[in-house]
Amino acid sequence: DGKVYLYVGFSPLGFFKTVFKLRGCRVEEAVCLELDADMKTVLGGERPVVPGHALAKGTPFEGHGFFEASSPRKIGDSYYFVYSSELSHELCYAVSKRPDGDFRYGGTLVSIADIGYKGNTEPLNYTGNTHGGMVQVNGQWYIFYHRQTNRQKCSRQGCAEKLSILPDGSIPQVEVTSCGMNEGPLAGKGTYEARIACN
């Protein structure tokens, strides 16, 4: 819309929430700030974008409140806000016709444990955290994210999965695979490192 925005926020749970509050940090939601053309001067106040855990209760965001990793983009006439949810193992999205508010919960794009994919309720992979965003490559939208390897939260492997944006603007959750941008499964010949194996 010809303006510059900064999206920030962090909404930890438990011990970390207490620590950040004691340090004077805002820890309840994702917010949007309009910046001046110098990209340093903040114009106006914070505008709520996506609620964190406590503020999400009783809303469509409940159970998938904002945790961290703001990643906005505009697709057509809609603004998509991708974020790591309070569950940590999933990237969710919210949609609005405005860049600075009125976002509604869209759903889960990817869970590194495949929880929620086709109704699955049990983790199929190790559940650490994930961060990422949507990128269009040669006309195809992808979700870029990371998953953990070697059952270590700090061993992170970058991944990508194709997304389908439906005519109504919704985006179905995708499965975590080893396909990435290969246009299909890995060839059934040769050898592969165990760390890339997945569903």
Side-chain angles (χ1 to χ4, degrees), residues 103-129:
F103 280 85
R104 68 184 192 286
Y105 179 70
T108 300
L109 295 169
V110 66
S111 160
I112 61 170
D114 278 332
I115 295 173
Y117 179 72
K118 294 190 176 180
N120 182 49
T121 58
E122 296 298 319
L124 298 178
N125 301 304
Y126 186 69
T127 57
N129 67 355

Side-chain angles (χ1 to χ4, degrees), residues 83-151:
Y83 63 96
S84 180
S85 85
E86 64 189 76
L87 298 177
S88 192
H89 62 77
E90 66 180 9
L91 290 178
C92 295
Y93 74 100
V95 184
S96 177
K97 294 295 182 187
R98 297 176 34 208
D100 61 348
D102 295 334
F103 280 85
R104 68 184 192 286
Y105 179 70
T108 300
L109 295 169
V110 66
S111 160
I112 61 170
D114 278 332
I115 295 173
Y117 179 72
K118 294 190 176 180
N120 182 49
T121 58
E122 296 298 319
L124 298 178
N125 301 304
Y126 186 69
T127 57
N129 67 355
T130 192
H131 308 90
M134 293 168 50
V135 178
Q136 189 177 40
V137 180
N138 296 326
Q140 171 65 55
W141 282 97
Y142 293 86
I143 183 69
F144 285 81
Y145 62 101
H146 68 74
R147 64 185 176 118
Q148 278 69 37
T149 61
N150 301 318
R151 295 188 140 329

Side-chain angles (χ1 to χ4, degrees), residues 32-74:
C32 174
L33 302 160
E34 184 181 347
L35 301 180
D36 203 348
D38 64 7
M39 296 185 70
K40 295 187 229 173
T41 307
V42 175
L43 303 174
E46 299 173 348
R47 299 174 200 160
V49 178
V50 173
H53 173 73
L55 298 176
K57 290 181 181 172
T59 76
F61 289 93
E62 186 168 359
H64 304 278
F66 175 79
F67 174 55
E68 63 180 352
S70 304
S71 183
R73 69 249 319 104
K74 186 176 184 186

